[in-house]
Amino acid sequence: MLSIASSPLAARIGQRSLAVALVAIALVGGLLVLEAPHLASAQEECEATDLGTVGPENDQLTTEGRWTTEDCDSAFRSGSDAHSYSFQVEEAGRVRIDLLSSEADSYLYLLSDTGDRIADNDDGAAGVNARIERDLEPGAYRIEATTVGGRGRGSADFSLTVGYVEGCETIPLGVLTAEADLTAMGVWTVDTCGSRIEANHPAYSYSFMLPASGRVRIDLMSEHGDPVLSLASPAGVIGANDDGGPGRNSRIEKYLLAGVYLIEATTYLQADRQPLEADFELTVHLVDEAAAQNRFILKVEESLAPDVVIAGEPFTVDYRVGNVGGGDVPDDWFVIVYAIGPRAYADLEVEPSETVWNAGASYHSSPELASATSTAIPSFEPIDVVLPRPGNSWVFLGVQPFQLVEDEGRYDNPGLFHGIWRNLRVVTGPIYGPVTVSVDGAAYTVEAADDEDGEVTTTVTSVADAEAEVDDAVQAKATYTAAVRELVLDGIFERPGLAGLGPSDQAEAIEVPNPSSSTLLKLFGEQYLEAIAIWGFDDVVANGEVINPVHVQELVLHVADKAAQQYAALSARWTTLEELVASGSGLPFEDAFALQAELAYAERILAPIAAAGSIATQAGPGEMVPADEFDALTRQASCRAASLGDAFEAAGVEDVEALLALDAELRANLDVFGLGSDAALCAVAGVDRENARFLQRLGIDDAGIATMVAPARAPQPVVEATPVAPEPYRLRIIASLRGDGRVEHGVELYGQHFLPPSRLLPADAPAGQWYASGEVEVEGHSIGVIRARRLADGRIELGFRDVNGDAVEPGIRFVADPPLGIFVRSSVIEVPRPEVAEEGSSE
């Protein structure tokens, strides 16, 4: 689930948009001068040196100086040397003041003639040099040239320059029409004219005329810079944007009335934080609205997330997204649906197809968000998000398409996205109560409440004596019991992990001592052994006979029915606990602990078994299985889990290897048999971690409870031997009875069937006579032939002869009463790979 950059996207967009909007105001309003009360120096002010007048005949004033550590005090920076200067501005214009020093960290102040501060700057020029850039009206001004760090940094030389800045005037782009875009290209450097509001950010100003009202799109693109756009008219601010275009590029698209408009093309970072040079391209385009409406338009229609979540724990964000435009998403695009929050990011990719992202289509991840026209398909799953810090927070659910750039073999973000914000609260643990529980026969009130920072504190109070001190062990048990009551028992039958477990007319009691992995493995192993014994599969294999897939299906259905009976007993007990709590009685600790253990068994053992049974009910051997259910169970079974051998050992099996071999034969005959087992093992693998996390999130650090939920032993990981190349083919011989009495043969390898051209054993074949099939070809080469013969007792014996002429006999090779139209399988045999001559060699 969901990684994010250090600064949240929302905050970044908000801050930049505000700054750019102020830039636009400055473009419209002209001169922006910030005045503040004059701060008088405690020392007598130094006499200002007159630099002269900046005007048409003298557009730059320069001087040099030295901070000696014995100069006048700065009026603004305590303990720093300062030099004061005065100058005149003859004509209004953009004036830049640079204070440069290779030996000190310079600092500049610009003042009015009366001493009011207009601006100050530390690192506006390259490096640690200072720069102030302002639109100044004619008149007298003063400068203080000082340092950061004070006299302790020693003496230093400096240079001071005051002059007009070239290239700050507005550049006319022309008249915008449907026939031609307006474009401009430029380069941002450290010496580029600064933005009107963020003077240290390089910027260019442009204007254009819109002769008739229409929708206008403005793109500011740069490969190395980080563009920011602003748009204004004489009436005020029109818009601002940072990353609305592809990548970090900017885009503004708005319907505008006829008139003159101003654009500022600037960057997010100030000049010396950018590359030394960053090219950019500005494009102003008149949008064809009719054509735009016939394109795809992706939107997040609704989103759903909890109002309160726990820091560090995943929570689900659901959504409904759709294509509300008039066109389909092209095949060379893909779309991500993503959730983003402070220090959190998660997404899922959904590629277009003949049925996904078509015009008018809408999809929901939860029935709660379904509309009259939306559908639910597996591609659109809820997104899990983890927010690490407590307090007030947010999550943004968005949808964004990406286009394939064919000549570069990559996908590009065209700047199209849409999303919905949701505010939520992050706390350090569950919030509940006050509730009454029972520990060792005494009643206690437990409450978990959060403060304004999201920190949760749990209090346990004796009902008999509210002032009495409660023992630490009792506090731990009371907290555990209250949490089980509020977080587990409340709404237990709506838990997703119990989906598929239905009621049964019969109930079979099951005792689950604790919720640890060792206990669940032992119970699973015992249930497995009991089911296998009913069908006697071990005797079938011992006789060398093939297993009937129909019998494996019946086994899966039997186990699923037993799971339903056990769930009936558990659910009846849980209903009793619900009634106990509803009556006002305190839930006892022992019942809370038993509930946790039973729930772990139901969700991790019974639910996967029920899912396998549901699939087996709908499709037998050789039939099409329900894809959605099968895929879901396959995903559950895909993990690094404890081995089936661990479960057999926990159940006390002596010959584990023999039972594992039998399990392999059962899986080969019905996929869903193995999937049910693997899904249960996968679920059990995570139970100890979840038990520990449950205690941790409640703040319980009690050795007694921790020991109760700990496994008897940690399952050891299975280490697979490194295969030695080239490996032989590991395959099974398959056989199926036809309606005319003939038997069809082939091999099963890689989950596929390879059928030779001549593969039918005649119905009237003499007993004892071997028949050979045609060549079995795998990967373009013959690996041998299948051998089969009828025996005097009516059975069929299967065999194989490899390309070297050697006979290979499966351990399980006898077919008795084969089912009509269903393939049965031998045990696995190893067939050597044929030696293939390399290209270019001759033999």
Side-chain angles (χ1 to χ4, degrees):
M1 282 175 343
L2 306 169
S3 48
I4 184 176
S6 59
S7 71
L9 180 61
R12 191 178 182 197
I13 289 176
Q15 292 165 1
R16 297 191 191 186
S17 296
L18 176 60
V20 175
L22 292 175
V23 172
I25 293 172
L27 286 171
V28 175
L31 177 64
L32 176 66
V33 177
L34 303 178
E35 296 189 355
H38 172 60
L39 300 180
S41 170
Q43 303 291 330
E44 183 179 349
E45 293 185 1
C46 292
E47 183 178 350
T49 301
D50 186 13
L51 297 178
T53 300
V54 177
E57 296 182 1
N58 187 17
D59 62 359
Q60 185 168 286
L61 308 175
T62 61
T63 188
E64 294 182 348
R66 181 177 178 81
W67 294 296
T68 66
T69 74
E70 297 178 355
D71 303 311
C72 295
D73 289 342
S74 167
F76 306 100
R77 305 191 65 82
S78 175
S80 291
D81 279 348
H83 291 266
S84 294
Y85 300 91
S86 64
F87 68 96
Q88 297 280 332
V89 174
E90 183 177 348
E91 291 186 357
R94 189 75 169 172
V95 176
R96 176 181 293 170
I97 306 169
D98 279 332
L99 179 60
L100 311 179
S101 176
S102 61
E103 300 171 335
D105 186 350
S106 58
Y107 204 106
L108 258 178
Y109 290 91
L110 174 64
L111 313 172
S112 70
D113 188 42
T114 59
D116 293 325
R117 191 194 308 189
I118 297 173
D120 62 80
N121 179 261
D122 180 12
D123 296 330
V128 295
N129 293 302
R131 171 178 293 174
I132 291 176
E133 189 175 307
R134 274 292 190 274
D135 291 309
L136 297 182
E137 293 294 323
Y141 297 90
R142 293 171 53 190
I143 294 170
E144 180 182 287
T146 183
T147 64
V148 178
R151 294 184 172 93
R153 305 301 296 269
S155 59
D157 294 325
F158 67 85
S159 65
L160 179 67
T161 303
V162 181
Y164 290 117
V165 186
E166 299 293 334
C168 295
E169 65 278 359
T170 299
I171 303 169
L173 297 176
V175 179
L176 179 61
T177 65
E179 287 71 29
D181 295 341
L182 302 179
T183 61
M185 301 182 69
V187 180
W188 291 306
T189 72
V190 71
D191 292 320
T192 300
C193 182
S195 165
R196 255 55 182 195
I197 187 64
E198 292 291 344
N200 302 324
H201 296 235
Y204 289 84
S205 297
Y206 301 92
S207 67
F208 70 94
M209 166 67 77
L210 184 64
S213 301
R215 181 168 292 277
V216 176
R217 184 173 66 239
I218 306 170
D219 282 300
L220 183 60
M221 313 280 286
S222 177
E223 182 178 358
H224 302 297
D226 189 352
V228 173
L229 264 176
S230 63
L231 174 66
S233 76
V237 176
I238 300 298
N241 180 263
D242 176 19
D243 293 334
R248 296 187 302 173
N249 297 301
S250 298
R251 171 176 292 173
I252 294 175
E253 183 172 323
K254 286 185 175 294
Y255 183 82
L256 302 178
L257 300 176
V260 177
Y261 293 90
L262 302 174
I263 297 171
E264 185 180 72
T266 185
T267 66
Y268 178 61
L269 298 176
Q270 65 184 51
D272 65 339
R273 304 294 194 272
Q274 303 282 347
L276 293 179
E277 292 187 355
D279 296 343
F280 69 85
E281 181 176 358
L282 177 71
T283 303
V284 185
H285 172 75
L286 190 60
V287 177
D288 183 343
E289 287 202 281
Q293 292 174 15
N294 288 324
R295 303 191 191 103
F296 67 85
I297 301 174
L298 304 183
K299 286 193 175 183
V300 177
E301 299 170 351
E302 289 284 351
S303 70
L304 180 64
D307 294 328
V308 179
V309 301
I310 297 177
E313 292 192 4
F315 64 93
T316 297
V317 179
D318 281 291
Y319 53 87
R320 187 174 76 245
V321 294
N323 178 3
V324 299
D328 301 342
V329 175
D331 291 340
D332 60 346
W333 291 56
F334 77 90
V335 179
I336 65 168
V337 181
Y338 62 93
I340 191 170
R343 300 194 174 204
Y345 178 84
D347 63 34
L348 59 90
E349 296 182 9
V350 184
E351 296 185 0
S353 67
E354 294 181 356
T355 57
V356 179
W357 294 126
N358 294 337
S362 180
Y363 311 97
H364 59 262
S365 67
S366 166
E368 294 181 74
L369 297 181
S371 69
T373 58
S374 66
T375 58
I377 61 177
S379 301
F380 293 88
E381 300 176 340
I383 299 177
D384 287 337
V385 182
V386 177
L387 297 179
R389 293 181 175 178
N392 293 327
S393 191
W394 50 267
V395 64
F396 178 81
L397 196 288
V399 59
Q400 188 167 21
F402 291 81
Q403 181 180 20
L404 176 64
V405 182
E406 294 186 1
D407 55 342
E408 299 181 20
R410 63 179 178 84
Y411 282 94
D412 192 14
N413 167 18
L416 305 173
F417 74 93
H418 183 263
I420 295 178
W421 293 89
R422 296 192 68 87
N423 293 326
L424 46 78
R425 182 160 176 77
V426 185
V427 295
T428 57
I431 302 171
Y432 55 84
V435 297
T436 301
V437 300
S438 173
V439 178
D440 299 330
Y444 296 89
T445 299
V446 184
E447 182 176 13
D450 63 317
D451 60 18
E452 61 181 12
D453 297 323
E455 294 289 337
V456 175
T457 301
T458 303
T459 56
V460 178
T461 306
S462 170
V463 172
D465 182 1
E467 302 299 325
E469 184 176 350
V470 181
D471 177 77
D472 289 346
V474 173
Q475 285 196 44
K477 288 184 177 181
T479 301
Y480 178 92
T481 307
V484 170
R485 167 179 165 164
E486 293 296 292
L487 307 178
V488 179
L489 181 60
D490 186 13
I492 189 170
F493 294 108
E494 285 74 47
R495 293 175 66 93
L498 298 177
L501 284 171
S504 174
D505 295 336
Q506 298 178 333
E508 180 179 307
I510 179 72
E511 183 177 349
V512 188
N514 60 63
S516 69
S517 61
S518 56
T519 294
L520 298 184
L521 282 175
K522 180 175 183 294
L523 291 172
F524 176 80
E526 291 172 348
Q527 301 290 321
Y528 186 104
L529 293 175
E530 180 182 323
I532 292 297
I534 294 175
W535 260 260
F537 285 122
D538 49 351
D539 293 334
V540 174
V541 172
N543 294 332
E545 296 181 2
V546 299
I547 294 173
N548 189 332
V550 175
H551 293 164
V552 183
Q553 180 192 19
E554 293 171 350
L555 170 63
V556 173
L557 296 177
H558 166 80
V559 173
D561 182 61
K562 185 172 182 178
Q565 295 178 25
Q566 291 182 350
Y567 178 67
L570 296 177
S571 60
R573 172 176 163 78
W574 301 345
T575 300
T576 301
L577 291 180
E578 286 183 323
E579 294 171 350
L580 173 71
V581 170
S583 69
S585 300
L587 180 68
F589 168 75
E590 294 76 14
D591 287 338
F593 187 80
L595 174 61
Q596 278 281 71
E598 293 165 356
L599 180 63
Y601 178 75
E603 290 186 324
R604 298 172 188 272
I605 303 294
L606 299 184
I609 292 174
S614 174
I615 296 172
T617 300
Q618 300 175 65
E623 297 177 352
M624 293 294 293
V625 299
D628 291 349
E629 293 184 43
F630 190 86
D631 292 344
L633 192 61
T634 300
R635 288 192 296 271
Q636 293 178 40
S638 302
C639 73
R640 293 181 177 273
S643 71
L644 188 59
D646 292 327
F648 292 157
E649 290 179 2
V653 174
E654 294 183 0
D655 192 350
V656 172
E657 293 301 322
L659 197 53
L660 288 174
L662 173 59
D663 179 80
E665 301 304 321
L666 296 173
R667 290 168 179 255
N669 282 277
L670 194 65
D671 288 343
V672 74
F673 173 86
L675 282 180
S677 296
D678 291 343
L681 292 171
C682 281
V684 169
V687 72
D688 295 325
R689 181 175 63 254
E690 290 300 318
N691 290 338
R693 178 56 183 156
F694 186 76
L695 299 181
Q696 180 183 1
R697 71 199 291 241
L698 299 176
I700 295 177
D701 185 16
D702 181 77
I705 297 179
T707 301
M708 293 175 68
V709 301
R713 62 175 180 83
Q716 298 298 315
V718 177
V719 179
E720 297 182 359
T722 303
V724 179
E727 281 190 335
Y729 290 117
R730 292 176 55 81
L731 53 85
R732 299 173 186 268
I733 304 171
I734 57 177
S736 174
L737 178 65
R738 289 194 168 189
D740 58 5
R742 294 184 296 173
V743 178
E744 183 179 16
H745 300 91
V747 302
E748 186 175 77
L749 177 66
Y750 308 140
Q752 303 178 29
H753 291 176
F754 296 85
L755 304 178
S758 176
R759 57 182 180 272
L760 297 175
L761 177 66
D764 57 354
Q769 180 177 337
W770 285 102
Y771 281 74
S773 73
E775 299 287 339
V776 178
E777 288 195 357
V778 176
E779 298 173 340
H781 305 283
S782 173
I783 63 171
V785 298
I786 301 168
R787 303 168 68 236
R789 66 176 178 178
R790 294 186 182 274
L791 302 178
D793 60 6
R795 294 182 301 168
I796 299 170
E797 184 177 4
L798 305 176
F800 198 86
R801 188 175 299 279
D802 63 29
V803 291
N804 300 318
D806 297 328
V808 183
E809 291 186 349
I812 299 175
R813 62 183 184 275
F814 298 105
V815 181
D817 299 324
L820 183 66
I822 299 175
F823 278 112
V824 295
R825 296 159 179 80
S826 74
S827 55
V828 174
I829 60 174
E830 293 188 350
V831 176
R833 293 176 183 266
E835 295 184 4
V836 181
E838 296 182 3
E839 293 185 9
S841 64
S842 60
E843 297 186 4

